[in-house]
Amino acid sequence: MYQAIVFFPLLGALIAGLFGRVIGDRPSEIITSGLLILSALMSCVAFVDVGLNGETEKVKVLQWMHSGALQIDWVLRIDTLTAVMLVVVTCVSSMVHVYSIGYMSHDGARARFFAYLSLFTFMMLVLVTADNFVQLFFGWEGVGLASYLLIGFWFKKPSANAAAIKAFVVNRVGDFGLILGMAAIYFTVGSLEFDTVFAAAGALADGQLEFLGLTLPALTTICLLLFMGAMGKSAQFLLHTWLPDAMEGPTPVSALIHAATMVTAGIFLVARCSPLFELSDLALAVVTVTGAVTAFFAATVGLVQNDIKRVIAYSTCSQLGYMFVALGVGAYQVAMFHLFTHAFFKALLFLGAGSVIHAMQDEQDMRKMGGLRTLVPASWFVMIVGTLALTGFPFTAGFYSKDAIVEAAYAAEIGPHMFAFTLLVVAALFTSFYSWRLIFLTFYGLPRCSNETLSHVHESPPVMLVPLIILSIGALFAGFTFYDFFIGDGQAAFWGSSIFTSAENHVLHDLHKVPGWVKLSPVVMMVAGFTLAWVMYIRRPTLPTQLAREHDLIYNFLLNKWYIDEIYNFIFVRPVKWLARLFWKGGDGAIIDGLGPDGIAASVLYVTRRAVSLQTGFVYHYAFAMLVGIAGLVSWFMLTGGQ
């Protein structure tokens, strides 16, 4: 069964990718979607089975890499952590596949699109079922490749190509850290198998690592390098710039990348490596601060974005920051709980936004929408459900998981935990504001689009609405249903040995005993954000423009995303372009080509061509040349007197 869960998406990708032109788009859609649904159903069975016994099972697939002391086999590691990720990845991906049948119905390359989707899912499943770092890295790079293909799916758009390249390059920065971390593990432990590495965590904590003449603490260095990889894949602050640009891909791609696959890989990596991170206070502190800053930064930028998909993209970035804070304070189970619930309501929001875009003839600017509530009531309803869950409305999925992170940040004993708690509470206010701003600008007020666009607005077909309804159920009830299993009284039996917490780590127990005002703070922020958004976009709709004009410095700072892209362009992109142009024009053009092809080689060719032109093949030409030669010799002897 476990092999089928992992390899069914690959089978679908191969069928659609290799034979899509032969069998056609519709069979490709049905085959890939059907295989994903089967994989999702089996994942749910595995989730129930593994969650009830909390044991770890290993399934060997094949002998992979055997080179000297390096012995790597392809083995599926099935434990609770894996089972949770299997459910998240396959369920959301299957919904995206079905939804895409309707959303991409007018595209001429649907077989290729569904092949890419299934390939993406397969690579993520390889990652989460890994039993060693090499297998994990294979899936890690695989989702990077698939994201490049999907973001740049509409490759005739220059912006889509640029976004795909940007995602690929920025992720290589983080992946370089992951490679170094793996190398450090192998040179210190002598193995890349999870069980062997985790068993050596205690020795690593006391060990040192020599690098470039520096003596570094082995465990902390390894953890920080692994976290660098997680930062790139999960779009944390400073390595986040690729994530908003990923919106250039089709909307189902945005949902798949942001909700269930690529961006959750970093969260999974840190949770999987909890036996290492748990023994390094410095690494946990870095994770906590990075997550808190990311949550705050992305929430501030989301306040002023006008593209409906980019607002949700920055929301994803912010929520990933929440998850990293939970990991950083040692509440790994809480982070995975929020990853689980977030997948449902974030996929719901992206696909709901896609339904709106589909209705609006591909318009994504919220300033050109408005008044859609009565025109697309089903899309409005699912977007309301997703917004309630995201903002933490009582008894929705986000209320249980996101609020638990805030409580864990307060209850923790990690150095910067209060710094993180403060930023998370403020981010909760901003999250509520920009989420309801999206709802009010899109669905309420008077229509701001053209009459021609308005005349074509229509509700999405059932093939798109059914996945939205299913995801709505998850967004409403996933938190309540699984609370006890993930972070409640039954969590110890549920997680088993898949997540490690030290004897000194009591955060999962202490978060249930925080003061009442701490528990209420996210709810208060939610209400405050809703009220502020209602006043600014329903009660006094001219107020946002007035405030933006009066505080143009702050507004432009947020609208331009803290100018981080511009800073990177100045520090990295422009110097690299200048250096490349110097080597191109000066080195390659002037020196190499100037001395080589355009210099000596060109001169030799010139002389050769002139010499060849003398050999015409006519006898009288050669006879004439001989006569000229003889005349020259005679003249020479006559002038020199025979000397």
Side-chain angles (χ1 to χ4, degrees):
M1 178 177 72
Y2 298 121
Q3 295 96 321
I5 292 174
V6 174
F7 289 102
F8 270 5
L10 176 62
L11 177 61
L14 291 175
I15 293 174
L18 298 178
F19 307 107
R21 292 186 177 181
V22 177
I23 64 177
D25 290 331
R26 178 62 69 184
S28 298
E29 295 171 343
I30 295 174
I31 291 172
T32 54
S33 301
L35 289 172
L36 249 300
I37 292 174
L38 289 175
S39 184
L41 293 174
M42 289 185 289
S43 296
C44 293
V45 174
F47 177 79
V48 173
D49 182 51
V50 175
L52 290 178
N53 57 47
E55 297 178 356
T56 299
E57 183 178 349
K58 296 186 179 183
V59 180
K60 185 174 180 178
V61 177
L62 53 84
Q63 181 176 303
W64 199 13
M65 300 180 186
H66 286 196
S67 177
L70 181 64
Q71 305 290 318
I72 300 295
D73 292 329
W74 191 321
V75 177
L76 305 182
R77 183 189 185 95
I78 308 298
D79 56 16
T80 305
L81 187 60
T82 301
V84 170
M85 293 302 298
L86 289 179
V87 169
V88 169
V89 173
T90 57
C91 288
V92 173
S93 183
S94 60
M95 293 300 99
V96 170
H97 273 72
V98 175
Y99 177 95
S100 298
I101 294 175
Y103 190 88
M104 301 294 290
S105 59
H106 301 296
D107 196 282
R110 298 199 301 279
R112 177 166 61 91
F113 179 77
F114 278 83
Y116 290 170
L117 282 184
S118 292
L119 177 64
F120 199 121
T121 306
F122 165 71
M123 287 300 181
M124 190 65 189
L125 293 176
V126 170
L127 192 159
V128 301
T129 57
D131 188 49
N132 55 74
F133 282 99
V134 176
Q135 188 178 333
L136 180 143
F137 188 72
F138 175 73
W140 191 274
E141 293 303 300
V143 295
L145 167 65
S147 70
Y148 171 80
L149 297 174
L150 285 169
I151 295 170
F153 177 75
W154 288 322
F155 55 85
K156 293 184 179 180
K157 292 173 56 179
S159 58
N161 287 328
I165 294 173
K166 186 176 183 180
F168 199 80
V169 171
V170 173
N171 271 275
R172 296 292 74 73
V173 177
D175 294 352
F176 182 65
L178 179 58
I179 293 173
L180 291 179
M182 291 169 56
I185 290 172
Y186 184 72
F187 286 122
T188 52
V189 179
S191 174
L192 291 170
E193 300 286 340
F194 285 153
D195 288 339
T196 305
V197 174
F198 297 158
L204 285 175
D206 299 326
Q208 293 180 329
L209 188 65
E210 298 291 336
F211 182 70
L212 296 179
L214 301 175
T215 301
L216 305 171
L219 185 64
T220 297
T221 302
I222 289 171
C223 288
L224 290 177
L225 289 172
L226 294 178
F227 178 60
M228 182 177 173
M231 285 180 64
K233 200 66 71 181
S234 293
Q236 291 302 280
F237 185 63
L238 298 182
L239 292 180
H240 68 279
T241 53
W242 67 269
L243 191 62
D245 289 0
M247 299 301 97
E248 291 293 338
T251 299
V253 172
S254 304
L256 191 60
I257 291 178
H258 288 69
T261 52
M262 187 168 174
V263 296
T264 62
I267 309 297
F268 171 80
L269 173 63
V270 177
R272 174 61 79 198
C273 295
S274 57
L276 303 179
F277 281 87
E278 188 71 354
L279 301 181
S280 176
D281 291 340
L282 177 58
L284 289 177
V286 171
V287 174
T288 302
V289 172
T290 303
V293 172
T294 302
F296 176 79
F297 156 76
T300 62
V301 176
L303 296 173
V304 297
Q305 296 301 305
N306 297 309
D307 186 304
I308 188 171
K309 287 173 62 177
R310 286 181 181 266
V311 173
I312 305 173
Y314 278 106
S315 170
T316 299
C317 194
S318 183
Q319 296 306 305
L320 290 168
Y322 273 83
M323 297 177 206
F324 274 112
V325 169
L327 294 170
V329 299
Y332 310 99
Q333 299 87 341
V334 179
M336 292 305 301
F337 187 31
H338 193 48
L339 184 154
F340 182 79
T341 61
H342 174 264
F344 290 103
F345 60 75
K346 188 51 59 71
L348 176 63
L349 285 170
F350 266 114
L351 297 184
S355 183
V356 173
I357 295 169
H358 184 77
M360 291 290 294
Q361 308 297 306
D362 297 326
E363 179 60 65
Q364 297 183 193
D365 193 333
M366 297 184 296
R367 294 170 297 183
K368 299 178 182 179
M369 298 181 185
L372 299 180
R373 179 170 60 91
T374 57
L375 299 176
V376 285
S379 300
W380 165 79
F381 174 77
V382 298
M383 288 292 286
I384 289 291
V385 171
T387 298
L388 291 173
L390 172 61
T391 57
F393 189 82
F395 309 115
T396 60
F399 170 75
Y400 290 96
S401 59
K402 189 175 79 171
D403 290 17
I405 295 178
V406 176
E407 295 162 10
Y410 181 87
E413 298 178 357
I414 299 294
H417 73 101
M418 287 307 297
F419 169 79
F421 169 76
T422 303
L423 290 189
L424 293 188
V425 171
V426 176
L429 170 66
F430 294 162
T431 299
S432 180
F433 176 83
Y434 67 64
S435 298
W436 289 108
R437 172 179 177 264
L438 183 153
I439 294 295
F440 294 147
L441 281 175
T442 304
F443 296 103
Y444 291 85
L446 296 175
R448 296 180 295 277
C449 59
S450 65
N451 290 331
E452 180 181 358
T453 301
L454 196 63
S455 65
H456 291 92
V457 173
H458 60 283
E459 188 58 271
S460 298
V463 72
M464 294 171 63
L465 293 180
V466 170
L468 292 174
I469 294 172
I470 295 174
L471 291 170
S472 297
I473 296 172
L476 289 174
F477 302 112
F480 171 79
T481 304
F482 295 101
Y483 179 86
D484 284 334
F485 291 98
F486 278 81
I487 62 174
D489 295 335
Q491 59 85 20
F494 178 76
W495 290 107
S497 60
S498 63
I499 291 179
F500 172 79
T501 52
S502 64
E504 295 78 20
N505 186 344
H506 306 292
V507 65
L508 207 61
H509 175 267
D510 294 341
L511 72 86
H512 299 291
K513 298 183 178 181
V514 297
W517 67 269
V518 174
K519 292 180 177 290
L520 286 175
S521 58
V523 178
V524 172
M525 293 298 105
M526 178 202 67
V527 174
F530 168 82
T531 304
L532 187 60
W534 181 82
V535 170
M536 293 181 65
Y537 293 96
I538 299 297
R539 181 72 174 175
R540 294 181 57 189
T542 59
L543 185 58
T545 303
Q546 179 183 342
L547 290 175
R549 190 182 304 113
E550 293 175 355
H551 305 281
D552 59 319
L553 288 178
I554 297 177
Y555 176 75
N556 288 324
F557 179 72
L558 298 180
L559 187 64
N560 289 282
K561 303 158 287 188
W562 292 24
Y563 294 103
I564 291 178
D565 280 292
E566 287 77 7
I567 294 172
Y568 283 174
N569 184 64
F570 179 77
I571 296 176
F572 299 114
V573 177
R574 289 172 59 183
V576 168
K577 283 186 175 180
W578 177 84
L579 190 62
R581 189 173 290 107
L582 175 65
F583 283 123
W584 171 33
K585 294 293 187 181
D588 192 30
I591 298 176
I592 297 176
D593 287 347
L595 295 178
D598 298 333
I600 297 174
S603 300
V604 171
L605 182 63
Y606 175 81
V607 173
T608 302
R609 286 175 175 172
R610 295 298 180 271
V612 168
S613 65
L614 296 176
Q615 302 192 26
T616 62
F618 295 109
V619 174
Y620 62 86
H621 283 171
Y622 301 146
F624 176 75
M626 294 171 64
L627 288 174
V628 170
I630 293 172
L633 289 174
V634 172
S635 298
W636 170 261
F637 280 106
M638 291 177 63
L639 293 174
T640 59
Q643 300 295 324

Coordinates of all heavy atoms in Angstrom, one line a residue, residues 393-441:
F393 N -11.2 32.4 13.8 CA -12.5 32.5 14.4 C -12.8 31.3 15.2 O -12.5 30.2 14.9 CB -13.6 32.6 13.3 CG -15.0 32.9 13.7 CD1 -15.3 34.2 14.0 CD2 -15.9 31.9 13.9 CE1 -16.6 34.6 14.4 CE2 -17.2 32.2 14.4 CZ -17.5 33.5 14.6
P394 N -13.5 31.5 16.4 CA -13.7 30.4 17.4 C -14.2 29.1 16.7 O -15.2 29.2 15.9 CB -14.6 31.0 18.4 CG -14.2 32.4 18.4 CD -13.9 32.8 17.0
F395 N -13.6 28.0 17.0 CA -14.0 26.7 16.7 C -13.8 26.3 15.2 O -14.2 25.2 14.8 CB -15.5 26.4 17.0 CG -15.8 26.8 18.4 CD1 -16.7 27.8 18.7 CD2 -15.2 26.1 19.5 CE1 -17.0 28.2 20.0 CE2 -15.5 26.5 20.8 CZ -16.4 27.5 21.0
T396 N -13.1 27.2 14.4 CA -12.6 26.8 13.1 C -11.2 26.2 13.3 O -10.7 26.2 14.4 CB -12.6 28.0 12.2 OG1 -11.7 29.0 12.7 CG2 -14.0 28.6 12.0
A397 N -10.7 25.7 12.2 CA -9.4 25.0 12.3 C -8.3 25.9 12.8 O -7.5 25.5 13.6 CB -9.1 24.4 10.9
G398 N -8.2 27.1 12.2 CA -7.2 28.0 12.6 C -7.2 28.4 14.1 O -6.2 28.7 14.7
F399 N -8.4 28.4 14.6 CA -8.6 28.8 16.0 C -7.8 27.9 16.9 O -7.2 28.3 17.9 CB -10.1 28.8 16.4 CG -10.4 29.0 17.8 CD1 -10.3 30.2 18.5 CD2 -10.8 27.9 18.6 CE1 -10.5 30.3 19.8 CE2 -11.1 28.0 19.9 CZ -11.0 29.2 20.6
Y400 N -7.9 26.6 16.6 CA -7.2 25.6 17.5 C -5.7 25.6 17.3 O -4.9 25.4 18.2 CB -7.8 24.2 17.2 CG -9.2 24.1 17.7 CD1 -10.3 24.2 16.9 CD2 -9.5 23.7 19.0 CE1 -11.6 24.1 17.3 CE2 -10.8 23.6 19.5 CZ -11.8 23.8 18.6 OH -13.1 23.6 19.1
S401 N -5.3 25.7 16.0 CA -3.8 25.5 15.7 C -3.0 26.8 15.8 O -2.0 26.8 16.5 CB -3.6 24.9 14.3 OG -4.2 25.7 13.3
K402 N -3.5 27.9 15.3 CA -2.8 29.1 15.3 C -2.7 29.7 16.7 O -1.6 30.1 17.2 CB -3.4 30.1 14.3 CG -2.5 31.4 14.2 CD -3.0 32.3 13.1 CE -4.2 33.1 13.6 NZ -4.6 34.2 12.7
D403 N -3.8 29.6 17.4 CA -3.8 30.1 18.8 C -2.9 29.3 19.7 O -2.3 29.8 20.6 CB -5.3 30.1 19.3 CG -6.1 31.2 18.7 OD1 -5.7 31.7 17.6 OD2 -7.2 31.5 19.2
A404 N -2.8 28.0 19.4 CA -1.9 27.2 20.2 C -0.5 27.6 20.0 O 0.3 27.5 21.0 CB -2.1 25.7 19.8
I405 N -0.1 28.1 18.8 CA 1.3 28.6 18.6 C 1.5 29.8 19.4 O 2.6 30.0 20.1 CB 1.5 28.8 17.1 CG1 1.4 27.5 16.3 CG2 2.8 29.5 16.9 CD1 1.6 27.7 14.8
V406 N 0.6 30.7 19.5 CA 0.7 31.9 20.3 C 0.9 31.6 21.8 O 1.7 32.1 22.5 CB -0.5 32.9 20.1 CG1 -0.4 34.1 21.0 CG2 -0.6 33.3 18.6
E407 N 0.1 30.6 22.2 CA 0.2 30.2 23.6 C 1.5 29.5 23.9 O 2.1 29.7 25.0 CB -1.0 29.3 23.9 CG -2.4 30.0 23.9 CD -3.5 29.0 23.7 OE1 -3.3 27.8 23.9 OE2 -4.7 29.4 23.4
A408 N 2.0 28.7 22.9 CA 3.3 28.0 23.1 C 4.4 29.0 23.2 O 5.3 28.8 24.0 CB 3.5 27.0 22.0
A409 N 4.3 30.1 22.4 CA 5.4 31.1 22.4 C 5.4 31.8 23.7 O 6.5 32.1 24.2 CB 5.1 32.1 21.3
Y410 N 4.3 32.0 24.3 CA 4.3 32.6 25.7 C 4.8 31.7 26.7 O 5.5 32.1 27.7 CB 2.8 33.1 26.0 CG 2.7 33.8 27.3 CD1 2.9 35.1 27.5 CD2 2.4 33.0 28.5 CE1 2.8 35.7 28.7 CE2 2.3 33.6 29.7 CZ 2.5 35.0 29.8 OH 2.4 35.6 31.1
A411 N 4.4 30.4 26.7 CA 4.7 29.4 27.7 C 6.1 28.9 27.6 O 6.6 28.3 28.6 CB 3.7 28.3 27.6
A412 N 6.8 29.1 26.5 CA 8.1 28.5 26.3 C 9.2 29.2 27.2 O 8.9 30.2 27.8 CB 8.6 28.7 24.8
E413 N 10.3 28.5 27.2 CA 11.4 29.0 28.0 C 12.6 29.4 27.2 O 13.7 29.7 27.7 CB 11.8 28.0 29.1 CG 10.7 27.7 30.1 CD 11.1 26.6 31.1 OE1 12.2 26.1 31.0 OE2 10.3 26.3 32.0
I414 N 12.5 29.3 25.9 CA 13.6 29.7 24.9 C 13.8 31.2 25.1 O 12.8 32.0 25.2 CB 13.2 29.3 23.5 CG1 13.0 27.8 23.4 CG2 14.2 29.8 22.5 CD1 14.3 27.0 23.6
G415 N 15.0 31.7 25.0 CA 15.3 33.1 25.2 C 14.4 34.1 24.6 O 13.8 34.9 25.3
P416 N 14.2 34.1 23.2 CA 13.4 35.1 22.6 C 11.9 34.8 22.5 O 11.3 35.3 21.6 CB 14.1 35.1 21.2 CG 14.5 33.7 20.9 CD 14.9 33.2 22.3
H417 N 11.4 34.0 23.4 CA 10.0 33.6 23.2 C 9.0 34.7 23.4 O 8.0 34.8 22.7 CB 9.7 32.4 24.2 CG 9.6 32.8 25.6 ND1 8.3 33.0 26.2 CD2 10.5 33.1 26.6 CE1 8.5 33.4 27.5 NE2 9.8 33.4 27.7
M418 N 9.3 35.7 24.2 CA 8.4 36.8 24.4 C 8.5 37.8 23.2 O 7.5 38.4 22.8 CB 8.7 37.6 25.7 CG 8.3 36.8 27.0 SD 6.6 36.3 26.9 CE 5.7 37.9 26.9
F419 N 9.6 37.9 22.6 CA 9.8 38.6 21.4 C 8.9 38.0 20.3 O 8.1 38.7 19.6 CB 11.2 38.6 20.9 CG 11.5 39.1 19.5 CD1 11.5 40.5 19.3 CD2 11.7 38.3 18.5 CE1 11.7 41.0 18.0 CE2 11.9 38.7 17.2 CZ 11.9 40.1 16.9
A420 N 8.9 36.7 20.2 CA 8.1 36.0 19.2 C 6.6 36.1 19.5 O 5.8 36.4 18.7 CB 8.5 34.5 19.2
F421 N 6.3 36.0 20.8 CA 4.9 36.1 21.2 C 4.3 37.5 20.8 O 3.2 37.6 20.3 CB 4.8 35.9 22.7 CG 3.4 36.3 23.3 CD1 2.3 35.5 23.1 CD2 3.2 37.5 24.0 CE1 1.1 35.8 23.7 CE2 2.0 37.8 24.5 CZ 0.9 37.0 24.4
T422 N 5.1 38.5 21.1 CA 4.6 39.9 20.7 C 4.4 40.1 19.2 O 3.3 40.6 18.8 CB 5.6 40.9 21.2 OG1 5.9 40.8 22.6 CG2 5.1 42.4 21.0
L423 N 5.3 39.6 18.4 CA 5.2 39.8 17.0 C 4.1 38.9 16.4 O 3.4 39.3 15.5 CB 6.5 39.4 16.3 CG 7.7 40.4 16.5 CD1 8.8 40.0 15.5 CD2 7.3 41.8 16.2
L424 N 3.8 37.8 17.0 CA 2.8 36.9 16.5 C 1.4 37.5 16.8 O 0.5 37.4 16.0 CB 2.9 35.5 17.2 CG 4.1 34.6 16.8 CD1 3.9 33.2 17.4 CD2 4.2 34.6 15.3
V425 N 1.3 38.1 18.0 CA 0.0 38.8 18.3 C -0.3 39.9 17.4 O -1.4 40.1 16.9 CB 0.0 39.2 19.8 CG1 -1.3 40.1 20.1 CG2 0.0 38.0 20.7
V426 N 0.7 40.7 17.1 CA 0.6 41.8 16.2 C 0.3 41.3 14.8 O -0.6 41.8 14.1 CB 1.8 42.7 16.2 CG1 1.7 43.8 15.1 CG2 2.1 43.3 17.5
A427 N 0.9 40.2 14.4 CA 0.7 39.6 13.1 C -0.7 39.1 13.0 O -1.4 39.1 11.9 CB 1.7 38.5 12.8
A428 N -1.3 38.6 14.1 CA -2.7 38.2 14.1 C -3.7 39.3 13.8 O -4.6 39.2 13.1 CB -3.0 37.6 15.5
L429 N -3.4 40.5 14.3 CA -4.2 41.7 14.0 C -4.1 42.0 12.5 O -5.1 42.2 11.8 CB -3.7 42.9 14.8 CG -4.2 44.3 14.4 CD1 -5.7 44.3 14.7 CD2 -3.5 45.4 15.2
F430 N -2.9 42.0 12.0 CA -2.7 42.3 10.6 C -3.3 41.3 9.7 O -3.9 41.6 8.6 CB -1.2 42.4 10.2 CG -0.5 43.6 10.9 CD1 0.9 43.6 11.0 CD2 -1.2 44.7 11.4 CE1 1.5 44.7 11.6 CE2 -0.6 45.7 12.0 CZ 0.8 45.7 12.1
T431 N -3.2 40.0 10.1 CA -3.8 38.9 9.3 C -5.3 39.1 9.2 O -5.9 38.9 8.1 CB -3.5 37.6 10.0 OG1 -2.1 37.4 10.0 CG2 -4.1 36.4 9.2
S432 N -6.0 39.4 10.3 CA -7.4 39.6 10.3 C -7.8 40.8 9.4 O -8.7 40.7 8.6 CB -7.9 39.9 11.7 OG -9.3 40.1 11.7
F433 N -7.0 41.9 9.4 CA -7.3 43.1 8.6 C -7.1 42.8 7.2 O -8.1 43.0 6.4 CB -6.3 44.2 9.0 CG -6.5 45.4 8.2 CD1 -7.5 46.3 8.5 CD2 -5.7 45.7 7.1 CE1 -7.7 47.5 7.7 CE2 -5.8 46.8 6.3 CZ -6.8 47.7 6.6
Y434 N -6.0 42.2 6.7 CA -5.8 42.0 5.3 C -6.8 40.9 4.7 O -7.1 41.0 3.6 CB -4.4 41.8 4.9 CG -3.7 40.6 5.3 CD1 -4.1 39.3 4.9 CD2 -2.6 40.6 6.1 CE1 -3.5 38.1 5.3 CE2 -1.9 39.5 6.5 CZ -2.4 38.2 6.1 OH -1.7 37.1 6.5
S435 N -7.1 40.0 5.6 CA -8.0 38.9 5.1 C -9.4 39.5 4.9 O -10.1 39.2 3.8 CB -8.1 37.8 6.2 OG -6.8 37.2 6.3
W436 N -9.9 40.3 5.8 CA -11.2 40.9 5.6 C -11.2 42.0 4.6 O -12.2 42.2 3.9 CB -11.8 41.4 6.9 CG -12.2 40.2 7.8 CD1 -11.6 39.8 8.9 CD2 -13.3 39.3 7.6 NE1 -12.2 38.7 9.4 CE2 -13.3 38.4 8.6 CE3 -14.3 39.2 6.6 CZ2 -14.2 37.3 8.7 CZ3 -15.2 38.2 6.7 CH2 -15.2 37.3 7.8
R437 N -10.1 42.7 4.4 CA -9.9 43.6 3.4 C -10.1 43.0 2.0 O -10.8 43.5 1.1 CB -8.6 44.3 3.4 CG -8.2 45.2 2.3 CD -6.8 45.8 2.5 NE -6.4 46.6 1.4 CZ -5.6 46.2 0.3 NH1 -5.2 44.9 0.3 NH2 -5.2 47.0 -0.6
L438 N -9.6 41.8 1.9 CA -9.7 41.0 0.6 C -11.2 40.7 0.4 O -11.7 40.9 -0.7 CB -8.9 39.7 0.7 CG -8.9 38.8 -0.5 CD1 -7.6 38.0 -0.6 CD2 -10.1 37.8 -0.5
I439 N -11.9 40.3 1.4 CA -13.3 39.9 1.3 C -14.1 41.1 0.9 O -15.0 41.1 0.0 CB -13.8 39.3 2.6 CG1 -13.2 37.9 2.9 CG2 -15.4 39.1 2.5 CD1 -13.5 36.9 1.8
F440 N -13.9 42.2 1.6 CA -14.7 43.4 1.4 C -14.5 44.0 0.0 O -15.4 44.4 -0.7 CB -14.5 44.5 2.5 CG -14.9 44.0 3.8 CD1 -14.2 44.4 5.0 CD2 -16.0 43.3 4.0 CE1 -14.6 44.0 6.2 CE2 -16.5 42.8 5.3 CZ -15.7 43.2 6.4
L441 N -13.2 44.1 -0.4 CA -12.9 44.6 -1.7 C -13.4 43.8 -2.9 O -13.8 44.3 -3.9 CB -11.4 44.8 -1.9 CG -10.7 46.0 -1.2 CD1 -9.2 45.9 -1.4 CD2 -11.2 47.3 -1.8

